[in-house]
């Protein structure tokens, strides 16, 4: 699991029914290693007891600016200064209005004015309130001030209405906190990622495929989003949920993947080709279920195009990362693919190991770049492998920019 050790998250909780969900957010942040300091509004304390947040965060919870013992113990300026990131969840229409206009009539709004840390707000309220022009105008003002507004989810609301206004899942809020703590090296760039397997149909009920689950490619898409990129994830069939903030394009066959990649390629700056593309497809797909006969069944296969090679003909200034899934001579196979596919970086993946490659939650890879430099990473969760690959891309692009003057 990724960690937030050494980071302080200031969690502002205002008075909406979704305040109960912030208790779980607190628990998850603490589990990830963060120091969590909770500041509540008086109204929030009507929904959830400060004791709940105190028990979960392991720190006293503040809500009253004028309580001398709280001020002596916690200190509102100290709180504002100690934060690496501030998350207001749920953010009520009232708190958003105060923030937009610089009001500071309670501890939370005072701390929000005093902090220099990045601020995230997660509005949660009745759909009609959320859509009210006054609330939307306040959100526009806050965006203009550099506040990150996390869009509420649509669905059944506690007030009985259906619509936009639900506090997103803790998973999403944690992803946003992590993004706020990550440098925006890919801001303004489109990053294209492929992931997962292909399915090549034999008949209406059977297909040829491979063991890729998409985990590695999905982790890369999430890592690129945290760096500030607009991310498009072209993926074969997988069970995985779409990473927050990422646009997903679903395909089945290698030919469909080629077409989707071609469409997204034109305006992309960085490409991670992590999909386990099917090299072959059945020469004929039967329109009816193939019946079993007495003897063996012989299938004729034909080659699929090599997506990297096809698109690589128009590589331009793009930074292209390929993967090399090998079970023997891993590094020499990867070097060959780096040259033949004109890659900037290849991720050599020993897929013969049980704890790495296909389907595993961990991976052990070596990064080889076009200059001949290599870096072997230890066995790590795929999430961290993705982070290290992205870091390497940031370094190599910076070196390329320096060389170009
Ligand atoms: O999805 P997971 O379960 O998490 O597993 C991750 C993974 C093992 C699939 C991933 O880490 C990985 O190694 N992906 C590349 C798999 C692969 O197809 O490797 P390859 O050595 O056959 O291909 C080399 C490169 O060419 C790859 O970037 C591949 O995407 C690309 N390729 C391959 C064939 C083809 N027809 N077109 C291509 O573009």
């Amino acid at each position: 699991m990724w960690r937030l050790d050494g980071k302080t998250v200031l969690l502002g909780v205002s008075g909406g029914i979704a305040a109960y969900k912030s208790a779980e957010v607190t628990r998850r942040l603490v589990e990830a290693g963060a120091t969590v300091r909770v500041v509540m509004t008086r109204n929030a304390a009507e929904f959830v007891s400060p004791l709940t947040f105190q028990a979960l965060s392991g720190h006293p919870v503040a809500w009253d600016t004028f309580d001398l013992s709280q001020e002596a113990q916690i200190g509102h300026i100290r709180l504002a200064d100690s934060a690496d990131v501030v998350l207001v969840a749920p953010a009520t229409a009232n708190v958003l209005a105060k923030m937009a206009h610089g009001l500071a009539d309670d501890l939370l709004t005072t701390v929000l004015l005093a902090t220099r840390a990045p601020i995230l707000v997660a509005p949660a309220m009745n759909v009609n309130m959320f859509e009210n022009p006054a609330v939307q105008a306040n959100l526009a003002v806050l965006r203009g001030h550099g506040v990150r507004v996390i869009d509420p989810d649509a669905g059944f609301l506690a007030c009985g209405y259906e619509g936009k206004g639900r506090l997103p899942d803790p998973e999403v809020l944690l992803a946003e906190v992590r993004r706020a703590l990550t440098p925006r090296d890919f801001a303004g760039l489109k990053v294209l990622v492929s992931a997962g397997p292909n399915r090549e149909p034999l008949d209406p009920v059977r297909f040829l495929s491979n063991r890729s689950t998409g985990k590695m490619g999905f982790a890369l898409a999430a890592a690129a989003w945290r760096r500030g990129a607009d991310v498009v994830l072209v993926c074969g069939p997988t069970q995985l949920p779409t990473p927050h903030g990422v646009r997903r394009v679903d395909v089945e066959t290698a030919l469909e993947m080629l077409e989707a990649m071609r469409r997204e390629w034109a305006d992309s700056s960085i490409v991670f080709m992590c999909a386990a593309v099917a090299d072959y497809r059945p020469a004929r797909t039967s329109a009816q279920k193939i019946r079993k006969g007495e003897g063996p069944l012989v299938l004729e296969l034909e080659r699929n195009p090599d997506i990297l090679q096809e698109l690589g003909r128009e590589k331009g200034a793009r930074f292209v990362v390929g993967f090399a899934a090998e079970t023997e001579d891993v590094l020499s196979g990867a070097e060959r693919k780096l040259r033949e596919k004109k890659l900037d970086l290849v991720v050599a993946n020993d897929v013969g190991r049980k704890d790495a490659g296909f389907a595993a939650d961990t991976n052990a890879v070596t990064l080889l770049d076009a200059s001949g430099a290599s870096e072997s990473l230890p066995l790590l969760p795929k999430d961290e492998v993705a982070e290290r690959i992205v870091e390497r891309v940031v370094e190599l692009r910076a070196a390329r920019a320096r060389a170009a003057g």
Side-chain angles (χ1 to χ4, degrees):
M1 187 210 181
W2 53 271
R3 306 287 308 163
L4 288 175
D5 298 280
K7 300 292 179 194
T8 298
V9 181
L10 198 146
L11 178 64
V13 184
S14 58
I17 180 62
Y20 79 95
K21 292 189 184 171
S22 299
E24 175 63 6
V25 174
T26 306
R27 194 192 67 73
R28 298 279 297 275
L29 287 167
V30 169
E31 191 182 37
T35 299
V36 183
R37 305 304 305 256
V38 180
V39 178
M40 303 176 80
T41 62
R42 278 198 173 278
N43 289 339
E46 299 287 333
F47 286 94
V48 183
S49 157
L51 192 58
T52 304
F53 287 102
Q54 184 161 316
L56 291 168
S57 68
H59 291 283
V61 170
W63 69 92
D64 192 346
T65 336
F66 302 108
D67 182 310
L68 290 180
S69 65
Q70 275 189 27
E71 184 56 22
Q73 220 183 355
I74 305 170
H76 67 278
I77 297 294
R78 241 188 355 263
L79 267 178
D81 288 348
S82 68
D84 292 295
V85 57
V86 178
L87 168 66
V88 186
T92 58
N94 185 45
V95 157
L96 294 171
K98 289 191 211 172
M99 287 176 75
H101 297 283
L103 297 183
D105 66 350
D106 63 6
L107 185 63
L108 176 58
T109 46
T110 305
V111 169
L112 286 167
L113 273 189
T115 190
R116 292 281 176 99
I119 300 178
L120 316 174
V121 293
M125 63 197 75
N126 163 274
V127 56
N128 294 341
M129 283 175 80
F130 181 68
E131 287 172 357
N132 187 293
V135 173
Q136 289 302 315
N138 287 334
L139 289 174
V141 168
L142 290 173
R143 284 192 188 95
H145 292 172
V147 171
R148 169 96 174 155
V149 177
I150 306 168
D151 244 9
D153 283 350
F156 177 76
L157 304 173
C159 55
Y161 279 72
E162 287 267 340
K164 218 169 167 185
R166 283 165 64 98
L167 189 72
D169 287 341
E171 203 63 55
V172 169
L173 299 182
L174 263 73
E176 289 279 355
V177 165
R178 204 178 165 199
R179 181 177 186 268
L181 295 167
T182 307
R184 293 291 148 73
D185 310 280
F186 291 171
L189 301 181
K190 175 171 168 181
V191 171
L192 178 55
V193 182
S194 75
N198 294 127
R199 282 183 183 173
E200 302 293 340
L202 282 163
D203 67 14
V205 297
R206 304 181 180 95
F207 53 80
L208 300 179
S209 191
N210 61 57
R211 296 180 189 280
S212 172
T213 55
K215 286 179 190 171
M216 190 65 244
F218 276 50
L220 273 167
W225 171 77
R226 286 194 293 274
R227 296 267 162 177
D230 288 329
V231 183
V232 177
L233 174 62
V234 174
C235 61
T238 126
Q239 303 293 319
L240 302 177
T242 309
H244 172 60
V246 166
R247 177 157 70 84
R248 170 174 174 163
V249 179
D250 287 299
V251 297
E252 287 224 346
T253 66
L255 288 176
E256 287 170 14
M257 185 167 268
L258 172 63
E259 277 324 300
M261 292 292 287
R262 209 197 288 284
R263 276 198 303 277
E264 301 293 344
W265 175 268
D267 54 349
S268 62
S269 304
I270 303 170
V271 179
F272 294 96
M273 191 69 201
C274 186
V277 184
D279 286 317
Y280 293 92
R281 64 177 181 273
R284 279 167 300 282
T285 301
S286 169
Q288 306 303 332
K289 183 180 169 194
I290 300 170
R291 292 233 165 91
K292 59 177 174 291
E294 288 305 313
L297 174 69
V298 177
L299 294 175
E300 189 189 341
L301 302 179
E302 62 187 22
R303 275 295 305 264
N304 269 326
D306 189 298
I307 298 177
L308 268 180
Q309 260 163 6
E310 287 269 328
L311 298 180
R313 293 199 188 105
E314 291 150 47
K315 182 165 181 274
R318 273 175 209 82
F319 193 99
V320 181
V321 181
F323 275 69
E326 309 283 349
T327 53
E328 52 185 347
D329 303 328
V330 177
L331 292 186
S332 56
E335 266 160 3
R336 185 173 47 74
K337 287 172 185 169
L338 179 78
R339 272 193 319 275
E340 286 177 2
K341 303 193 186 215
K342 297 191 178 57
L343 303 173
D344 297 291
L345 180 70
V346 69
V347 181
N349 210 167
D350 181 352
V351 294
R353 293 173 56 156
K354 275 226 153 19
D355 54 4
F358 291 93
D361 288 327
T362 48
N363 212 354
V365 301
T366 300
L367 310 183
L368 305 170
D369 69 57
S371 75
S374 79
E375 181 189 6
S376 290
L377 303 183
L379 186 75
L380 291 169
K382 281 185 172 164
D383 183 58
E384 279 177 49
V385 173
E387 203 57 59
R388 299 284 288 269
I389 294 171
V390 164
E391 270 166 24
R392 193 82 191 102
V393 172
V394 170
E395 287 164 12
L396 290 168
R397 288 184 80 247
R400 190 195 265 186
R402 277 197 302 276

